[in-house]
Amino acid sequence: MLRFLTAGESHGPCLTAIVDGLPAGLVVDVEAINHELARRQGGYGRGGRMKIERDKVEILGGVLYGKTTGAPLSLRIENRDWANWRDRWAAGDLPKLTVPRPGHADYAGMVKYGLDDARPILERASARETAARVAVGAVAKLLLAEFDVVVGSYVAEIGGVVGQIPDLGWPELWALTEGNDVRCPDTEAADRMRVAIDAAREAGDSLGGVFAVAATGVLVGLGSHVQWDRRLDARLAQAVMSIPAIKGVEIGPAFENARRPGTQVHDELGISNLQSPKVIRTSNRAGGIEGGMTNGEPVVVRAAMKPIPTTVTPLRSVDLTTGEEAATQYQRSDVCAVPAASVVGEAMVAWVLADALIEKLGGDSMGEMKGHQS
Amino acid sequence: MLRFLTAGESHGPCLTAIVDGLPAGLVVDVEAINHELARRQGGYGRGGRMKIERDKVEILGGVLYGKTTGAPLSLRIENRDWANWRDRWAAGDLPKLTVPRPGHADYAGMVKYGLDDARPILERASARETAARVAVGAVAKLLLAEFDVVVGSYVAEIGGVVGQIPDLGWPELWALTEGNDVRCPDTEAADRMRVAIDAAREAGDSLGGVFAVAATGVLVGLGSHVQWDRRLDARLAQAVMSIPAIKGVEIGPAFENARRPGTQVHDELGISNLQSPKVIRTSNRAGGIEGGMTNGEPVVVRAAMKPIPTTVTPLRSVDLTTGEEAATQYQRSDVCAVPAASVVGEAMVAWVLADALIEKLGGDSMGEMKGHQS
Amino acid sequence: MLRFLTAGESHGPCLTAIVDGLPAGLVVDVEAINHELARRQGGYGRGGRMKIERDKVEILGGVLYGKTTGAPLSLRIENRDWANWRDRWAAGDLPKLTVPRPGHADYAGMVKYGLDDARPILERASARETAARVAVGAVAKLLLAEFDVVVGSYVAEIGGVVGQIPDLGWPELWALTEGNDVRCPDTEAADRMRVAIDAAREAGDSLGGVFAVAATGVLVGLGSHVQWDRRLDARLAQAVMSIPAIKGVEIGPAFENARRPGTQVHDELGISNLQSPKVIRTSNRAGGIEGGMTNGEPVVVRAAMKPIPTTVTPLRSVDLTTGEEAATQYQRSDVCAVPAASVVGEAMVAWVLADALIEKLGGDSMGEMKGHQS
Amino acid sequence: MLRFLTAGESHGPCLTAIVDGLPAGLVVDVEAINHELARRQGGYGRGGRMKIERDKVEILGGVLYGKTTGAPLSLRIENRDWANWRDRWAAGDLPKLTVPRPGHADYAGMVKYGLDDARPILERASARETAARVAVGAVAKLLLAEFDVVVGSYVAEIGGVVGQIPDLGWPELWALTEGNDVRCPDTEAADRMRVAIDAAREAGDSLGGVFAVAATGVLVGLGSHVQWDRRLDARLAQAVMSIPAIKGVEIGPAFENARRPGTQVHDELGISNLQSPKVIRTSNRAGGIEGGMTNGEPVVVRAAMKPIPTTVTPLRSVDLTTGEEAATQYQRSDVCAVPAASVVGEAMVAWVLADALIEKLGGDSMGEMKGHQS
């Protein structure tokens, strides 16, 4: 069983993560992890924080001579911004934030944890935490890559601008995606997305959107139909929904499928004309999962992200100390983080698949796992 | 921590469930559980099986003098249909099912479990299993009711017929819903849904749809933003996505929210004019969850169900024994199960909320829990 | 991951268990399970209840044509004694038990669960529950047997009578053990154990003792040193300590080892003289586990059982209703249950090893697991 | 649910831990944590490493203005020794360790993780890892202290020297214990223990022993009898057995109790003469746990530690690369670590109790927990 925990505040010294359950012998390519961290930092519409940070992972445990040893991986990502906050944290004289911002964890968190200040809540309920997840997911991607599983994503919508996704294979789509800062493979829609982001910024507003994560090369039979909490679609839904601001998840185009008759939805099976015939499909409306198990087609997860809840335009709220109505005050934020979130989505999908693959193949080293696969 | 496991095959002797972690002193109203079971069995568009079954729960453990004792609850629901299958199971002469049906667990399950027969897969990957979940969820509902939390649902769409949900409170919506066999509170749309189901039946086809589950009276602060797997939206997503044929989940109207600017999405806070002023909201686009925690508004989960994968019209597939193309053969099935699935959705949402409530309040008996609440 | 939950009261209708995570294709030999149940029922010193019961397992799910399907196993063991209690349970007129018996769960359970009657506690905190565990463990044994792992036990001490265990291999010891009703391979000590049991019965007293469970044929590397909760010795300790009345657990002769210098404790390694040389040991003071992992030697777990807390001789206690001192009243019980407990110990050890083996080998069917092993 | 993971190698840069599930509002006294770390480092019979290290905890997350926020706690303990190893790790030219040392994780770890070098194994399977546990346990102690639960320990045996523990209350015993470097409250035995340690050092040998951990002030009803894995004795056994070199665990004097008749073992209940009468006991042979639940008496856990497996005197082993017999080579080590292990034992017991207390009381902040208690 693969497990991870993350810790760290947005303006604290660093983010940390511990990953338990990796096999021994996995080459941990630090630059590959840093590449994923950089992908998360990019995207049109990001705010000032991303100009400060240059995320790099430090490995504090679990690796010897460049390979995992089976011991837990210990990861650390420095917060450069910490230098600007350190003294104020120590002095304890940061002003209290007593007006919860709609759409944020502020209100629920203050009530839950018995606080008269939202700061301890927003320090943790911050998208910054996802940097740690991306580092963890990057390791999962390295493991998956050894089994020819590749995870990528694209942005499908931003603020109501819906991309027309070209009818290409996933690698081709991803190539188009990596080349642009809204990560949408429809280049014409990408332009309109940038315009929409600019307009939202000018209006003191924010935007959400939809992204799709896919994994290719996944073997048949990850997850199981036999018990509710072992279904892979359910685990993917949990993992992707756990990303801050993600409020909707579907496997394949599920809400669209729900409007069609069965004969137009279910992916028929055929036989390839190869020398060694194998089962093929000509459609993948199931998003690669049937009965809670992978069916050999690409796993496709789509996610709906709400607009960033921090808006320059004040929203109505209440000062919880005085009990009087008050307007929210702007905290530094992004206008749109859908491109970044799609990278976090990849991390979480990679995580779930790596966990399921390890469970399926067993084995305590990469060599043993590979031996089990063949 | 509340846990449950279910077991049992569709045409085996019974379904069983064990629920561990309930407080002592909960009155277990067997008729209330049976009522939920009956609600699951209803719905326009169900097939022949539901004519055979009259689901009743039997309690085999965990209850003394009508109340829970803290010991695990043991539930059993008889399969009446078992009488028709018993001898053939014992004889072992049921024909092998070697042509996996698209959209079912058949193919992935056969490959995963190394079988040349889909029967052991479809016996478990059957909607019948959800009867056990409904019984478990009914107990969760009984617990929640003691804390004034009520869980209900309605059907929003069937086969592309989209209901216009009246602007009413949840209790009023549910009253409209319970009164009709497609469980849609828009009575005009409900008529068109029935027509669509009839048409699909005639066409040898099947339909899916969308339902919404809501919980009212939920206290603030269930779930947490602090760790990815403790977010309540993520847990709800897992639980609801785990229902067979559910492929999409959203908290509130998430995919619609993703198209709007932040100022039109986030639910502003106000103060009520009551003697003891409290925080109120005039909208609930967040579906009752901010930062992965309940915020005091009704929790709203919407789910997309794919059309039933069993269709009278054959679909193309492959005989996995011969490796040759073959058409699927029809097995007895429903045409549309969205109304039934909405009841299962209630059960899973109730489950997650009961688990979170127990964690939040602590206590080992109903009395202690209630003492902790006040 | 292998999971199981049990449910059921001592005088309720039945015990049930659900086992989740078994591979498909395991032949479930019902007679082998019943044989284990019979072994648990035996033993010199048992009370009246065992004359009533003739435990037989019923399989309600997870098996088709005699083999597991990957679906959860559902087990049921009828309580014959139920016939004698049914009406009184229904009438609810059983007298309250308000004087907690020292050494039982009565006092802590009443306080914890907020009860003024110990009956709901003792119904579950009963050795009867272990019948369900033995059934579950019997299935684990069947799985292990397919990998040539055999689990057995013997009784080492009863009431201070310490057996001199002959210097024989485990199969030989077990052969001596199965042949006698105190399960001690030292036949002379066995006689004295019976005498001690008889004396205790006459004195209105009860006895405990020590047993040893061993598993042979275990492959190297189950468990792990890398994280505290993955150590196999820790998991074995949890599993065996969870048996009612077990209060001490050691891996190998740990308390004796603690008194010796390191050079006399640690098991040196050598090389066998076989054609294909392999690592051997001439001692096994580590009980088959080093660094929290199996090392290829037999896994040996010893457990200390307290005397049965129910004694004919009254013990001083308090009536929790009146707050006045009172003497305990005798409930039907055994005088000594160490032989029975050793069978339960086997079940729990088998369970832990089966879980670890499945994790190590991966695979979803017996065929796949075996392929992974070679 | 309280969770923690640790990471870090013995000669790597640091140890890290993440603790998830703490309530908000707990004052995190860094000096109290450092005090526990210092206690672990002490003890007669420690080796050279402890002269290098001066363990101090650094808090990298989860605390704001000196209090927990509900967010996960991130802890780091620097390895001073890292400065001596850093370059050799980077260069990757450390000699391979191919001769597994009996009693260590070396052999099982190499086989499990597919390695031809024991170094990656012994780096993690090192007592150094327990520093992270002590830091985590120190936080658990801080939480428990707020509920008047105190956890302490003493050493009962070293190398066969058995202390005669004076008949004093736990606080008095602990006062005697903290004052001496073998942590045994029998000062005469303590002298003989030092002599035994010196003799073992001279002989190139090592010693183990037995320690007892106790917790006072524990409320009734932590843990549960209802399901095997919820018993507190089982959880304590797992936690304490998971400490490196611990091979035996008992709750109270279990192995001794196993030799006595029931009437001499079970702790009778009485009523105190106080104004508000309460249940009392005059003995605690059950070690504070009945039916898997705390009964209000001090929780007492005794543990048997094997002698340190590293001995100056070589042990016979095999070079796994050549397949030839070879003698072990000495690595820097302690002669006796029982006093240090008793401190780790406190940490693990504190952990289990804090987890159970949080589950029992519920609540997300210290204020809420305390409100629930009364």
Side-chain angles (χ1 to χ4, degrees), chain A residues 313-334:
Chain A
T313 304
L315 295 173
R316 285 184 304 167
S317 184
V318 174
D319 187 315
L320 293 184
T321 304
T322 64
E324 285 174 12
E325 302 205 342
T328 58
Q329 284 190 301
Y330 182 65
Q331 307 283 327
R332 183 181 61 191
S333 183
D334 302 326

Side-chain angles (χ1 to χ4, degrees), chain C residues 199-268:
Chain C
R201 182 183 288 111
E202 300 228 345
D205 215 324
S206 64
L207 297 179
V210 173
F211 61 81
V213 176
T216 59
V218 184
L219 55 76
V220 180
L222 302 185
S224 177
H225 64 289
V226 301
Q227 196 66 260
W228 72 277
D229 56 0
R230 291 172 61 195
R231 289 185 174 252
L232 199 77
D233 39 10
R235 292 190 176 186
L236 288 165
Q238 180 190 23
V240 174
M241 192 75 99
S242 79
I243 301 169
I246 302 303
K247 302 281 284 186
V249 178
E250 55 182 355
I251 309 296
F255 280 91
E256 189 186 308
N257 285 345
R259 299 187 170 182
R260 297 190 175 203
T263 50
Q264 291 175 30
V265 166
H266 301 300
D267 305 306
E268 295 181 307

Side-chain angles (χ1 to χ4, degrees), chain C residues 238-325:
Chain C
Q238 180 190 23
V240 174
M241 192 75 99
S242 79
I243 301 169
I246 302 303
K247 302 281 284 186
V249 178
E250 55 182 355
I251 309 296
F255 280 91
E256 189 186 308
N257 285 345
R259 299 187 170 182
R260 297 190 175 203
T263 50
Q264 291 175 30
V265 166
H266 301 300
D267 305 306
E268 295 181 307
L269 289 80
I271 283 285
S272 67
N273 293 322
L274 300 170
Q275 287 296 91
S276 59
K278 51 179 280 229
V279 166
I280 55 167
R281 313 242 190 178
T282 50
S283 63
N284 182 22
R285 298 192 70 87
I289 296 185
E290 289 173 311
M293 292 172 280
T294 51
N295 66 4
E297 301 304 307
V299 170
V300 183
V301 184
R302 286 166 48 90
M305 184 180 204
K306 67 182 179 187
I308 301 266
T310 307
T311 55
V312 174
T313 305
L315 294 173
R316 286 183 303 166
S317 184
V318 173
D319 187 315
L320 293 184
T321 304
T322 65
E324 286 174 11
E325 302 206 342

Side-chain angles (χ1 to χ4, degrees), chain B residues 9 37 94 99 103 152-153 164 188 202 299 307 321 346 362 370:
Chain B
E9 276 67 45
L37 291 173
L94 288 160
V99 180
S153 68
Q164 297 302 315
E188 185 274 327
E202 300 228 346
V299 171
T321 304
E346 293 176 23
K370 288 182 180 178

Side-chain angles (χ1 to χ4, degrees), chain C residues 112-131:
Chain C
K112 178 183 180 82
Y113 290 107
L115 301 166
D116 63 354
D117 180 7
R119 196 173 300 276
I121 302 303
L122 60 88
E123 277 294 333
R124 180 68 187 157
S126 158
R128 178 104 195 106
E129 179 258 336
T130 62

Side-chain angles (χ1 to χ4, degrees), chain A residues 22-93:
Chain A
L22 290 168
L26 176 66
V27 175
V28 178
D29 179 343
V30 172
E31 284 321 303
I33 304 174
N34 288 338
H35 176 65
E36 295 294 323
L37 290 172
R39 289 175 73 224
R40 192 198 72 94
Q41 288 197 270
Y44 200 82
R46 304 304 298 279
R49 177 69 182 271
M50 287 303 97
K51 291 187 178 64
I52 297 172
E53 304 297 340
R54 295 284 178 278
D55 290 343
K56 301 284 178 201
V57 75
E58 228 184 313
I59 296 178
L60 300 178
V63 173
L64 199 58
Y65 312 148
K67 288 183 184 174
T68 56
T69 64
L73 204 62
S74 177
L75 305 177
R76 181 181 181 279
I77 301 167
E78 192 190 358
N79 284 339
R80 283 186 165 208
D81 206 8
W82 169 234
N84 305 323
W85 291 75
R86 174 175 226 150
D87 294 345
R88 293 155 78 189
W89 278 47
D93 63 356

Side-chain angles (χ1 to χ4, degrees), chain A residues 249-269:
Chain A
V249 178
E250 55 182 355
I251 309 296
F255 281 90
E256 190 186 307
N257 285 346
R259 299 187 170 183
R260 298 189 174 204
T263 51
Q264 292 175 31
V265 165
H266 301 300
D267 306 306
E268 296 181 308
L269 288 81

Side-chain angles (χ1 to χ4, degrees), chain B residues 241-262:
Chain B
M241 190 74 97
S242 79
I243 301 169
I246 302 303
K247 303 281 285 187
V249 178
E250 54 181 355
I251 309 297
F255 281 91
E256 188 186 309
N257 285 346
R259 299 187 172 184
R260 297 189 175 205

